[in-house]
Amino acid sequence: LMGGLSYAHMLTHLDLSHNKIGDRGARRLASLLDPDYCLQAVDLSDNQIHANGCMHLGAHLAENITCQVLNLRLNRCEDNGVSHLFQDMCVNKHLQSLNIACNDLTVRCLPYLNAMLAENGTLIELDISANPLHQEEEEAAQGVGNAAAPEQTMSSPPEDSFDNGEDDLLAGLQVSSAQLVVFAKCVMRSRAVLRVDLRSCGLPPELHERVSTAVKHRELVATGIPVEAYERAKEVAEAEEAAAAAEEELAQGEEEEGEEKVEEKEPEEKADETEKPEGEEEKKEGE
C-alpha cells in the first residue's frame, strides 16, 4: 500500500481507520505528511498505534502545512506519545482538528497540552474524550505535576499570564489537581479553540460544565449567534424536558396504581367465584 501511496502526491484525504497498521504502519504513513504531499485529512482511528508511532506522526506534522484534520482516536498513544505530539503541535500552524479520544491519557500529559493550547493559535476543534485525565486516588498516590513522558521538559503557562476572566469563571470551584485548573484556564483563554469534547474524562461535573459553556459561547460569538438568545433557548428546552419527564413520571405512577388496583380486585373476584358454587349446592340440597 505504501508503495502506491508514495506516488500519490495529489492525495488530499486518507482514511485507514479500523485496521491494524500499528507503529510500523504509522511510521511509514508519517512520510505522507512531508512537504512533497498535500494531505488535508488523515483518519488513523482504531489502528493499535502506540507511543512510537504517534511520535513519528508528530515529528512529520511539525513542519506540515497542508494537513487540517488528524484523527487518532481509539489507539494506545498514551502520555509518552501524545506529549511529543503536543510539543510538535506548538510548531505546527495549520492543523485545525485533532481527535485523540480514548488513548489512555492521564494527568501527566496535561502540562504539554496546556503549553500547546497556549502557543498554538490555529487548532479549532479538540477531542480528548474518554481519557482518564482526572483520577483522585492515583494523583494522591503518585503526586501529579511531574510529567515524565518525554525527556525534554515543558512548563505550563505561568499563573500570572491568565486574565481575571478565567478566575471569575472558575470562582467557587474546588479542584484537587492544579494541572486541571491550569488546563481549564488554557482552554478558556484560547481564542482559537471553538469546540472541545471532555466527556468521560473524570473531570468534576461543575468544571466540565463551565469549560464547555465558555468554549460554546466563544463558538457562538465566532459564528455571529447571540449568546443571550442561545441561553434563553437552552433554558426553554431544559424546562420542556423537565415538564416532559414530570408528565412521564406521573403517567407511570398512574399506571402502577392501576395495576395495584387490578391485583387487589383479582383475589376478591376469585373469592366470589368460590362462594357461588357453595350457595348453589345449598339450594340444590334444599330443593
Side-chain angles (χ1 to χ4, degrees), residues 41-184:
V42 181
D43 189 347
L44 300 178
S45 58
D46 191 17
N47 267 294
Q48 298 182 4
I49 298 174
H50 292 252
N52 187 267
C54 185
M55 291 178 193
H56 280 80
L57 289 170
H60 287 263
L61 185 67
E63 302 298 332
N64 181 275
I65 60 173
T66 60
C67 188
Q68 299 177 0
V69 179
L70 177 61
N71 190 344
L72 292 175
R73 66 187 294 267
L74 292 172
N75 284 291
R76 300 176 183 176
C77 298
E78 299 181 335
D79 295 324
N80 195 14
V82 172
S83 296
H84 281 87
L85 176 63
F86 289 152
Q87 283 183 311
D88 295 317
M89 284 286 297
C90 293
V91 181
N92 182 282
K93 303 301 180 184
H94 298 275
L95 192 70
Q96 298 180 2
S97 176
L98 176 63
N99 189 334
I100 49 174
C102 197
N103 267 278
D104 295 329
L105 305 184
T106 69
V107 70
R108 296 183 184 88
C109 74
L110 286 183
Y112 303 89
L113 175 57
N114 296 338
M116 185 271 289
L117 290 172
E119 297 185 25
N120 187 293
T122 57
L123 188 66
I124 297 175
E125 184 174 358
L126 176 64
D127 187 344
I128 56 174
S129 59
N131 287 298
L133 294 179
H134 182 54
Q135 293 179 327
E136 294 183 358
E137 296 179 358
E138 183 179 349
E139 291 177 7
Q142 298 181 4
V144 291
N146 296 324
E151 295 179 358
Q152 298 179 357
T153 59
M154 178 180 291
S155 58
S156 298
E159 291 290 337
D160 56 3
S161 66
F162 298 109
D163 299 331
N164 293 330
E166 288 80 19
D167 293 332
D168 294 340
L169 291 173
L170 297 177
L173 286 181
Q174 295 181 355
V175 183
S176 59
S177 173
Q179 288 297 340
L180 275 182
V181 175
V182 177
F183 166 68

Side-chain angles (χ1 to χ4, degrees), residues 177-273:
S177 173
Q179 288 297 340
L180 275 182
V181 175
V182 177
F183 166 68
K185 291 181 178 181
C186 286
V187 175
M188 292 179 174
R189 185 172 183 263
S190 174
R191 296 294 176 240
V193 178
L194 301 181
R195 290 179 293 277
V196 61
D197 193 342
L198 302 173
R199 293 173 296 173
S200 302
C201 287
L203 301 182
E206 291 186 7
L207 180 65
H208 183 190
E209 177 66 21
R210 295 194 189 186
V211 173
S212 300
T213 301
V215 176
K216 184 63 179 179
H217 287 179
R218 187 160 59 237
E219 180 186 7
L220 294 173
V221 172
T223 53
I225 300 176
V227 175
E228 295 78 7
Y230 170 80
E231 290 297 335
R232 286 196 298 269
K234 184 179 178 181
E235 291 176 359
V236 171
E238 290 177 352
E240 291 177 352
E241 289 179 0
E247 290 178 0
E248 186 177 352
E249 289 180 0
L250 181 60
Q252 187 175 359
E254 291 177 354
E255 290 179 1
E256 291 177 355
E257 289 179 1
E259 291 176 357
E260 290 177 358
K261 290 181 180 179
V262 171
E263 290 176 357
E264 290 176 357
K265 288 181 179 179
E266 287 179 354
E268 294 178 358
E269 292 176 354
K270 289 181 180 179
D272 294 339
E273 291 176 357

